[in-house]
Amino acid sequence: MSAPRTLLITGIGRRIGEQLAAHYLAQGDRVIGSYHTHTEAVARLEAQGLIALPCDLTQAADIASLVTCITQTTAQLDAIVHNASVWFDDATCATDPDKIHALYAVHVTGPIALTLQLHAALPAQAQRGQAGRLVAFITDAQCLSGGSAHAHYFASKAAAESAARSLAKKLKPHTRVNTIAPGLIMFHPHDTVTERQQRLSLNLLPFEPSPTVIAQTLDYLLACPALDGARIVVDCGYTT
Ligand SMILES: NC(=O)c1ccc[n+]([C@@H]2O[C@H](COP(=O)([O-])OP(=O)(O)OC[C@H]3O[C@@H](n4cnc5c(N)ncnc54)[C@H](OP(=O)(O)O)[C@@H]3O)[C@@H](O)[C@H]2O)c1
């Protein structure tokens, strides 16, 4: 087992964030998880040792408060995983422009502010040219090609890709910044059998991968010190 690390993962209240937190807790790492809603999953993770802190990434005061709480909790921060997300379609954004603001706040401006404020409060160090901190943005495999029903969502995820490249340049050499761009990882419970089959037929590898593949990719980013400004697509060979 590798030495215990301290990781911050945002959006640990369900699904991928929940399972990433569980994965690193099971490895003996110290996991700080930010949540928007205190779900049963958050309570389960707390029972396993998670340090759970509230944060609405659309609120600057919440981000500042999260940074203060983290600096009071740890003197070491090895990784920041920007996992939190909202998935509003264009029809929803058309009726409520606040949703457009939320897409950019949760995917772009919030993570940039959190990354920079954490560096100011808890500076990362480089040793022999190697970065002491990894920042990983979870984006979306389709964000550069786009999609007809989610222009705002994909544009905000593409902006997150750009933000990651800029932060990699800004924070070198003490911090590495990379992105994981998932395709379909897990269906929603309301997806019908037909919808699932149609979606899987677009992949070269037609299976539902589960958050395990995101944990495996994050393990690789954590382990390989030469990855910086990189984008890893995890999409089972999506073909359109
Ligand atoms: N699942 C997939 O197949 C898939 C595919 C492509 C990309 N991804 C990306 O992978 C990541 C995880 O996906 P997922 O399916 O697990 O996402 P998810 O089910 O939508 O969960 C997102 C998390 O972000 C939190 N969140 C929402 N608004 C927030 C806010 N204002 N401040 C702080 N946190 C907020 C949510 O909390 P609340 O519920 O309390 O709001 C939730 O815990 C996301 O970045 C997503 O875009 C996933």
Side-chain angles (χ1 to χ4, degrees):
M1 183 186 287
S2 55
R5 300 161 293 200
T6 303
L7 296 86
L8 167 65
I9 304 172
T10 66
I12 47 79
R14 63 176 187 228
R15 290 164 56 86
I16 293 176
E18 173 190 356
Q19 295 203 35
L20 287 178
H23 172 81
Y24 289 102
L25 287 169
Q27 289 192 25
D29 291 312
R30 192 145 82 123
V31 182
I32 302 170
S34 79
Y35 61 88
H36 188 213
T37 307
H38 195 281
T39 58
E40 286 178 16
V42 177
R44 273 196 305 275
L45 290 166
E46 286 181 295
Q48 295 163 37
L50 178 87
I51 301 163
L53 299 171
C55 181
D56 179 344
L57 286 162
T58 66
Q59 303 299 314
D62 275 26
I63 293 172
S65 157
L66 176 63
V67 170
T68 302
C69 288
I70 291 170
T71 54
Q72 290 167 350
T73 302
T74 184
Q76 176 191 338
L77 188 61
D78 301 288
I80 304 170
V81 183
H82 296 300
N83 165 77
S85 179
V86 281
W87 167 250
F88 301 126
D89 61 18
D90 294 339
T92 306
C93 291
T95 58
D96 182 359
D98 285 349
K99 296 285 193 292
I100 301 172
H101 166 74
L103 283 163
Y104 286 91
V106 175
H107 298 155
V108 189
T109 56
I112 292 174
L114 184 55
T115 301
L116 295 179
Q117 289 178 35
L118 279 168
H119 176 62
L122 211 55
Q125 307 291 340
Q127 278 196 348
R128 298 181 300 282
Q130 294 196 16
R133 181 172 298 161
L134 168 73
V135 175
F137 282 71
I138 313 290
T139 62
D140 195 296
Q142 245 185 290
C143 70
L144 304 181
S145 52
S148 58
H150 291 86
H152 292 292
Y153 165 81
F154 285 126
S156 68
K157 286 288 192 176
E161 287 283 347
S162 172
R165 303 289 109 67
S166 296
L167 288 173
K169 289 176 177 165
K170 188 187 277 289
L171 300 178
K172 67 175 175 58
H174 52 74
T175 302
R176 301 186 286 127
V177 187
N178 297 286
T179 66
I180 299 173
L184 168 73
I185 298 300
M186 59 192 305
F187 287 111
H188 290 277
H190 56 74
D191 292 332
T192 66
V193 172
T194 307
E195 286 168 341
R196 290 171 192 234
Q197 284 170 346
Q198 279 173 349
R199 177 61 188 83
L200 289 178
S201 71
L202 301 174
N203 287 353
L204 298 178
L205 305 172
F207 72 101
E208 181 185 9
S210 94
T212 300
V213 300
I214 302 300
Q216 289 167 333
T217 310
L218 195 51
D219 284 345
Y220 173 51
L221 283 178
L222 283 161
C224 181
L227 287 169
D228 196 10
R231 177 178 195 241
I232 303 180
V233 177
V234 185
D235 71 349
C236 287
Y238 180 67
T239 53
T240 64

